[in-house]
Structure formats: C-alpha cells, structure tokens
Amino acid sequence: MLSAINQKIDIVVGGINNIQKSIIELNIEVRKIPEATKKIVLEHYNLELTDGLAGLLKSYSEVRAAAETNSDILDDIKIVERLKFISNETNKTRATLSVSPVAMTPETLFAIPTTLFLEIATLSHLQFPTSYIIQVLSSYREWITRCISGEIGSIPSQRAAAIEIHQKTIDNYSSSRVGQLLGIANYPFSETDTDRKSRATDLCFGFSHSVADQITDTYDKLIESLTFAANFLGGTLLERSSHFGIKFEQSLNAFQYSYDRGILSMTVARNKSLEGFGPFKQTTICTWKKAGFTDDIDKAVAYAETIAEYQDLEKQSQQLSADVDLLNLLRARIEICKKSAQIAYDTLAQVETQLIALGAN
Amino acid sequence: MPGGPKPEVIKFLEDLGDLIGYLFPVVADSILKSKFETDLEKLLPSLTEDASWTGAGTLLYVPMGQDPGTSALFYGGIRVYGTGSTPSNIIGVYLSEPQISPPNPIWFSEEKSFYVWLDPKNKKVGIIEYPFSKIVLLDGLAIANDKLLAKAVKAHDEFAQYLNAVEVLAIKAEESSLKLEIQAAHKVLKDTAAKIDAINAELATNLEKERKISSFLQKIKILGALVSVGQLALEFASQFPDSEIPGMFDGDAILLENEINSYKQEIGDKIIYMKGELSVYQKLSAQEAIKLKTQFSLKNAPKQIQHFDGYSGEKTD
C-alpha cells in the first residue's frame, strides 16, 4: 500500500512542481503587463505625433520648395487650401498631445518646437489675425511652462525621481559588502561644497574617495580564502583590483558605469622553485574570472567557491550587474530630461520674443 | 518665403524732419514727439555707420499704445530690428533668435504702432503703417518660423537617434532584471526539488520498514504455526505429566507482536504527516491561483487564461 502512496506522491509532487514553475513564469509575465501597456500607450502617442507630424512637414516642405521659385503661388487658392489643411492638422496634433498622457514627457517636449514653428509659420502665411497667433503662442507657452513646472509628471519631477532612484541604489551599495569592496558610494557633499556638488549634478557621483585597489584589510575572510588559494598554487596573493568603473559615453552624452562581474582580480606570485627554476618569481597567472582558467586556477576557484562569503558576494555581484544596467539607463534618462529642459527654455525664449513682437504683454 | 512688401507698403518721406512731422502732427503729441526725436538722434550715428558698411536698409519698430477711453497715445521706445534687403527679411532674422525686448506700452495698439525704414542707398526715409505693418510683420514671422522649423526638425532627428541609443539601454536593463528573476525562480525550484528528494528518501526508508514488517509477518505466521504445533505438543505432553516440554514460543510471539504494533503506529504517523505536507502544498497552490486570477482580472487577461484554477489537489487515499 505504501508503494502505491509513494507513487501517487511522486505524481502529485511532480504536478505541484510543474504548477509552481508555471506560476513563477506567469507571475513574471503578469508583472510585466503594466509596463508593457504603458509602453504601448506611449508608443501610440509617439507614433501619432511623429508619423502625423512627419506627413505634415513633408507637405509643407513641398509648398515651401514651390514658393522658392515662384512666391506668387502662395496666393493660389489651391495652395492656400493646402496651407489651411496643414495648419488645421498641426492644430489638432497640438490639441491631442497637450492633454495626452505623454504631454510632458521629454520625447514630446522635443517635438513641441517642430509643431509650434510649423503652426505659426502656416498661420503667418495665411495672414491670420495677430490676436489669434498671440493666443496660439500663449497656449504653447502654457504647455511648455507646465512641462518644466515641477508638477508631478513634469520634466523636473521625472529627473528628480530618476536621480532619487540612482542615489538610493548607490547608497544601498555603500553599505553592502560588494559595494565596499568596489568602493561604490555617493559623493558626500555639503551645501558649501560647490566642487563636489557640481560633480554630483554632472552625474559623476557614484564613487567614494577610496579606490578598491587600496583596500588592504588582510583579515578579510575572502582575502584569506584567496591567499589560501594562492598558497595552494605554491605562490602568494599580491594584489587585487576592481572591475567597476565609469566612463563618458559620447553617444549618450552621459557618464556610464561598467562592471564585468569579476569581483576582484587575483595576482599570484608563483614559487617557481617548485618547478626547478630557481628562487621565488612573481607571475600574474589569472584574473578572478572564469574564462581561461588553468587547471590549477580551477582548483583555487573551486576552493574559494566553498567559502560562504564568496557565495554571498557572487549573489551581490549578480545583483550589481543588473543594477548597473538600470543605473546606466537612469543616467541616460536624466540626461534626456536635462536636454529637453534646455529645449523648453530655448523655445520659451523664442515664444516670448514673438509674443512681444506681435504686441502681447 | 514671400518677397518684401509691395512698393506702396512703405510711405517714403523726404527726411527725418518730415517723418517726425508726419507722425506727430498735433500739439498734443509734443511730448511724444520730443521723446521720439531724442531717441532717434541717439540711435542715428550708429545706424548710419552700420548702413554705410552694409549699404542695406535699416528697420526700426516703434510700438505704440492708445487709451481706448481718451484716445491718448503711449510711446514704447524705438526697437532696432537690424539691417537687410527688405523689412520682412529683417523681421524674419530678428524673430528667429531670442531677443531681450522691453515690454510693450500700456494699451498696445497694432493700428498705431509703425515701422521706420531707412534706405541709405536711395537716401530715403519710409514709414510702414497699419495695415501694411501687419502684413510685413506676418511675412517676417513666416520667414522666422521657417528658419526655426528647419532647426527644430534637425534637432528632433538627432534626438530620435539618441532615443534609439537609450532604447538599447532599456532593453539591456529589462533583460538583466528578467535574468535575475529567472535565477531567483530557479532557486525556488531547486529548493522545492530538494524538499521532494527529502520526502522521497523518507518514503524509501518507510518502504524498507514495511518490507521488513512483511518479512516479520511471514515469520510470525510460521511461528504461529509452530506455536500451534507447540500447543499440540503441550497438550500431548500433559497427557504425560512426568515429561517436561519448555513453552518458550509463547513469550517470543508476544514480543514480536508488540514490535509489529509499534512499527504499524510509526508508519501510520508517517502517512498522516505526508498527507499533511500534501495538503499544505495544495493550499499554497490554490492561494497562488487566486492571486493570479486577481492579477489576470485586474489586467483584463483573456477569458481562457482567467479560467486557470491552479492545482486543485489529488486525493491520495
């Protein structure tokens, strides 16, 4: 009877196992739904914006090209009708976008000047009343001002949120073991510390003053294990260095982190006398990475992997690897916010100039 | 885009004196006239110098205001819009860059504001009044916005390339995050597999005990038979009082029976424990299913997915 029960339990446990696997996979998929939906909505509006606007720009550039050779065509009724169509459609695009969920995103803000200048150009060609053009310019001024107002969803709030997540993530690492080993920490700066403060706003933050290479806590358990591993190979552990860095990425105009998952590099001085080559000789024989290990190094790594702290560091290292990708994305987003805010201020200055020239106060 | 103003747009006058006289003809305007004259005299040296270098015309703008009640005029100063071939082109260039301008006068009047056109080549002074001032302004506005539009399109295209680079980062970050989640999920599965192995090992031990008990039962049957034989022998012996036959089988049988009962109890307990374990797994599975159904419902998942009931359990008795 127990054999039968055992078999049934095997079946049941197998079933539970499969269900558990499915639940985990489904949970991952379910968690992705809100993000995916948001992305689809944003893409819809962006498509509406870019595709619609691209078509209008094409039509307008054709009218312009024709008028370059003969400016009289601007009085032609058909051309006037075409300009009216472009003007109306641009107006509709603005009306949709300015109240849409993407009204204040950096992506939209980059398209606002195109929409604005196209609409004002067509209204000017059509000799609309200046009072109406003033109203249109005022609407754009209101929209752009909202984008940089600091209200929830505006560019400054998006930038602040990204910076906060970045800062918190780095702060968490400054108190973790792997963060301490790699020297990851936010620059501490005071209100009067303008130098560091400017570095922080330039997104250079993310490092403490101490460099990982300079850490010499010889009683560290990991170092003990690595030293043991080195001795096991007939040598001595000489140095270790970090694989965590930062560099300026030209295409993104932002500093980006780099991390290659190797926590430490291990340089071992091998005692060559064991091989009959005379006295002690220093040789770098490996870096703390899995690729390209010799048999001896495999043994050393296998030993180190049995140390609990190494296992914990491995886990933290995997997390850091994923976090570096997130941090780099945040840095790029912060830069986008910065760029779009600049666009907003430039466009506002342009709008103000035109408003005053048209007689607005 | 369109050419400059038609010739009749500009009203040409002999000199600046005529211009001032034309603009401020009445005594009531004497204060404004004086202010305008002073401002113009201050500007003229530099304007003449610029014009002599370029040979191009110079455009000035004079914004005016008018009280709707009293019709009193308000003077807004002279703005130099620059030099160029036509007034519209000059306005086009001026408005295509951000400018720091003083505010317009109170009760700004489009009708009362005007442009002054200085033409050094023909040594003429012109005035552009409403409604021609509006036409010139809108022509200039069109030129300015055409220029700005070209810049904006270029900037937008560059930004699109930048966004593509950021999208690559976003995909990388999403993949890394998923990788971590999958690793965590695998760990859960690995832990579950270890628990299953432990249960299986326990079951194997219990099965081994069951096998031993079965073996014991066989022996007991044999022993029972032997006891019967022994009893027969005793009965047989009782008929022979002088004979001594030992009754050792009775005691051993009781000991064995006790041991069997103890094993049976132990196995029974194990089975109850294992049933309990199964029940916990079933409940957990049902709870996860409810959570998932809620999630599906909230996210409007397809109906056939929403019908997912999780693991309802298998009866094990």
Side-chain angles (χ1 to χ4, degrees):
Chain A
M1 191 187 76
L2 275 176
S3 299
I5 292 172
N6 191 25
Q7 280 174 1
K8 281 192 174 184
I9 287 174
D10 269 348
I11 294 164
V12 171
V13 166
I16 291 170
N17 195 9
N18 286 338
I19 289 162
Q20 203 167 12
K21 201 173 169 183
S22 305
I23 287 170
I24 290 165
E25 285 168 358
L26 280 169
N27 265 332
I28 292 172
E29 291 302 316
V30 166
R31 279 208 301 279
K32 280 159 63 183
I33 289 173
E35 203 50 46
T37 314
K38 192 178 162 194
K39 207 174 167 186
I40 289 165
V41 171
L42 293 180
E43 276 173 5
H44 164 75
Y45 279 104
N46 281 335
L47 269 179
E48 189 166 319
L49 173 81
T50 50
D51 285 7
L53 208 55
L56 296 171
L57 280 170
K58 178 79 180 153
S59 295
Y60 183 67
S61 68
E62 286 166 359
V63 173
R64 259 189 61 105
E68 285 293 330
T69 50
N70 176 15
S71 61
D72 289 342
I73 68 151
L74 288 171
D75 297 327
D76 186 285
I77 185 73
K78 289 194 175 73
I79 296 296
V80 169
E81 286 304 315
R82 178 57 57 91
L83 281 172
K84 277 183 188 167
F85 173 79
I86 296 168
S87 181
N88 288 341
E89 290 302 308
T90 312
N91 183 281
K92 275 187 207 166
T93 304
R94 167 166 63 91
T96 311
L97 276 175
S98 62
V99 293
S100 76
V102 295
M104 294 191 283
T105 64
E107 288 82 356
T108 302
L109 195 41
F110 262 84
I112 290 178
T114 312
T115 321
L116 161 68
F117 300 134
L118 178 62
E119 190 168 3
I120 301 299
T122 50
L123 292 175
S124 306
H125 284 306
L126 293 165
Q127 297 279 316
F128 262 65
T130 50
S131 55
Y132 178 74
I133 298 176
I134 286 173
Q135 277 308 313
V136 173
L137 282 168
S138 301
S139 297
Y140 276 105
R141 179 169 62 183
E142 195 185 315
W143 182 12
I144 298 166
T145 307
R146 264 186 68 211
C147 290
I148 50 173
S149 64
E151 69 176 87
I152 294 168
S154 66
I155 302 293
S157 80
Q158 289 183 43
R159 185 170 185 267
I163 287 176
E164 194 185 342
I165 298 170
H166 186 286
Q167 297 271 40
K168 274 187 183 168
T169 310
I170 293 289
D171 274 344
N172 287 340
Y173 276 102
S174 65
S175 56
S176 79
R177 192 71 190 97
V178 72
Q180 285 167 356
L181 280 171
L182 297 174
I184 302 170
N186 279 314
Y187 268 113
F189 59 87
S190 65
E191 284 301 312
T192 52
D193 196 345
T194 48
D195 181 41
R196 286 188 201 167
K197 202 173 178 181
S198 71
R199 291 188 74 173
T201 48
D202 283 347
L203 299 174
C204 290
F205 55 95
F207 285 96
S208 65
H209 291 289
S210 59
V211 181
D213 301 48
Q214 294 166 355
I215 302 169
T216 52
D217 47 343
T218 48
Y219 295 103
D220 187 292
K221 275 184 187 169
L222 186 79
I223 296 304
E224 268 181 42
S225 72
L226 291 173
T227 308
F228 186 92
N231 290 336
F232 180 81
L233 295 168
T236 308
L237 181 70
L238 291 181
E239 65 172 28
R240 59 202 172 110
S241 60
S242 74
H243 288 256
F244 188 77
I246 193 162
K247 62 171 184 171
F248 187 74
E249 182 59 51
Q250 202 72 40
S251 64
L252 294 161
N253 193 38
F255 284 96
Q256 295 275 283
Y257 291 125
S258 62
Y259 178 54
D260 68 2
R261 279 289 317 282
I263 298 170
L264 302 165
S265 94
M266 184 170 70
T267 303
V268 176
R270 183 171 236 176
N271 190 346
K272 287 286 182 184
S273 63
L274 292 173
E275 297 170 14
F277 285 101
F280 190 85
K281 192 181 173 186
Q282 293 181 5
T283 318
T284 302
I285 56 171
C286 79
T287 53
W288 195 245
K289 287 193 287 186
K290 289 255 178 184
F293 280 157
T294 65
D295 286 347
D296 282 351
I297 299 306
D298 279 342
K299 284 177 193 167
V301 170
Y303 173 77
E305 282 178 348
T306 62
I307 309 291
E309 195 193 11
Y310 174 83
Q311 290 168 5
D312 187 40
L313 275 174
E314 258 301 289
K315 204 175 153 191
Q316 289 184 40
S317 171
Q318 284 171 6
Q319 182 65 49
L320 176 60
S321 210
D323 282 346
V324 159
D325 289 336
L326 172 70
L327 289 167
N328 284 340
L329 177 63
L330 287 169
R331 283 166 172 268
R333 292 295 303 172
I334 293 164
E335 179 59 22
I336 287 180
C337 290
K338 190 176 149 192
K339 274 171 179 280
S340 56
Q342 191 56 53
I343 290 281
Y345 285 115
D346 289 349
T347 311
L348 267 184
Q350 205 62 62
V351 168
E352 289 296 341
T353 298
Q354 297 193 6
L355 276 169
I356 288 181
L358 287 164
N361 276 314
Chain B
M1 187 181 327
K6 305 287 184 289
E8 62 271 24
V9 168
I10 306 175
K11 183 178 180 60
F12 286 103
L13 300 157
E14 280 306 310
D15 54 27
L16 286 172
D18 280 357
L19 173 78
I20 293 163
Y22 172 80
L23 288 170
F24 306 100
V26 291
V27 180
D29 292 331
S30 61
I31 298 170
L32 293 183
K33 184 181 172 184
S34 164
K35 277 185 185 170
F36 179 73
E37 222 170 345
T38 313
D39 287 350
L40 197 59
E41 274 169 12
K42 277 184 195 166
L43 282 170
L44 269 177
S46 61
L47 293 178
T48 316
E49 195 180 338
D50 288 350
S52 64
W53 274 97
T54 59
T58 303
L59 188 72
L60 310 177
Y61 181 56
V62 185
M64 299 290 289
Q66 187 172 37
D67 185 335
T70 63
S71 295
L73 289 173
F74 296 90
Y75 167 61
I78 300 174
R79 289 180 202 159
V80 181
Y81 273 17
T83 57
S85 55
T86 66
S88 298
N89 282 336
I90 294 169
I91 294 171
V93 172
Y94 180 81
L95 294 182
S96 64
E97 295 292 338
Q99 306 289 346
I100 300 167
S101 306
N104 287 313
I106 191 167
W107 289 308
F108 173 84
S109 165
E110 192 177 19
E111 288 81 1
K112 295 294 173 188
S113 301
F114 57 89
Y115 293 94
V116 175
W117 175 244
L118 304 174
D119 183 357
K121 202 188 276 179
N122 302 309
K123 294 190 174 171
K124 279 186 174 176
V125 177
I127 180 165
I128 306 169
E129 291 178 291
Y130 188 83
F132 303 112
S133 57
K134 184 199 156 190
I135 296 167
V136 169
L137 171 62
L138 290 183
D139 281 351
L141 196 61
I143 292 168
N145 282 283
D146 281 347
K147 283 177 192 286
L148 289 165
L149 182 59
K151 275 190 201 171
V153 169
K154 198 178 165 210
H156 192 246
D157 288 349
E158 283 170 4
F159 180 65
Q161 285 176 10
Y162 186 88
L163 277 186
N164 286 339
V166 177
E167 184 63 18
V168 172
L169 285 182
I171 291 167
K172 204 177 167 198
E174 194 180 356
E175 279 176 354
S176 300
S177 164
L178 274 176
K179 202 173 153 190
L180 269 190
E181 286 189 61
I182 289 165
Q183 275 173 354
H186 281 169
K187 193 182 177 309
V188 171
L189 286 174
K190 206 175 157 186
D191 291 349
T192 311
K195 280 180 193 166
I196 291 163
D197 286 348
I199 291 171
N200 278 335
E202 207 173 339
L203 271 170
T205 310
N206 288 328
L207 281 169
E208 180 59 22
K209 282 183 183 174
E210 188 211 17
R211 194 186 61 74
K212 280 181 183 169
I213 288 163
S214 298
S215 169
F216 271 125
L217 284 171
Q218 285 298 319
K219 283 178 186 170
I220 287 161
K221 277 184 185 172
I222 294 164
L223 287 168
L226 287 173
V227 168
S228 302
V229 171
Q231 276 176 341
L232 281 172
L234 280 171
E235 283 171 18
F236 179 75
S238 68
Q239 294 173 19
F240 303 95
D242 294 336
S243 304
E244 285 186 8
I245 299 169
M248 58 181 286
F249 289 119
D250 286 347
D252 282 356
I254 290 161
L255 281 172
L256 279 168
E257 199 174 341
N258 286 341
E259 195 176 346
I260 288 160
N261 286 336
S262 164
Y263 275 127
K264 279 183 176 174
Q265 182 64 41
E266 195 181 331
I267 290 163
D269 290 347
K270 291 285 179 189
I271 289 168
I272 289 164
Y273 167 74
M274 282 187 285
K275 280 183 175 177
E277 288 274 288
L278 273 176
S279 170
V280 170
Y281 274 121
Q282 285 165 1
K283 279 179 187 167
L284 278 173
S285 171
Q287 282 168 7
E288 288 297 325
I290 290 164
K291 280 184 200 169
L292 265 179
K293 283 184 82 171
T294 313
Q295 286 281 359
F296 284 144
S297 172
L298 284 172
K299 312 299 175 196
N300 294 321
K303 289 287 177 200
Q304 60 267 42
I305 295 179
Q306 288 199 33
H307 289 151
F308 170 72
D309 287 327
Y311 181 73
S312 57
E314 186 178 338
K315 288 184 180 171
T316 52
D317 34 346

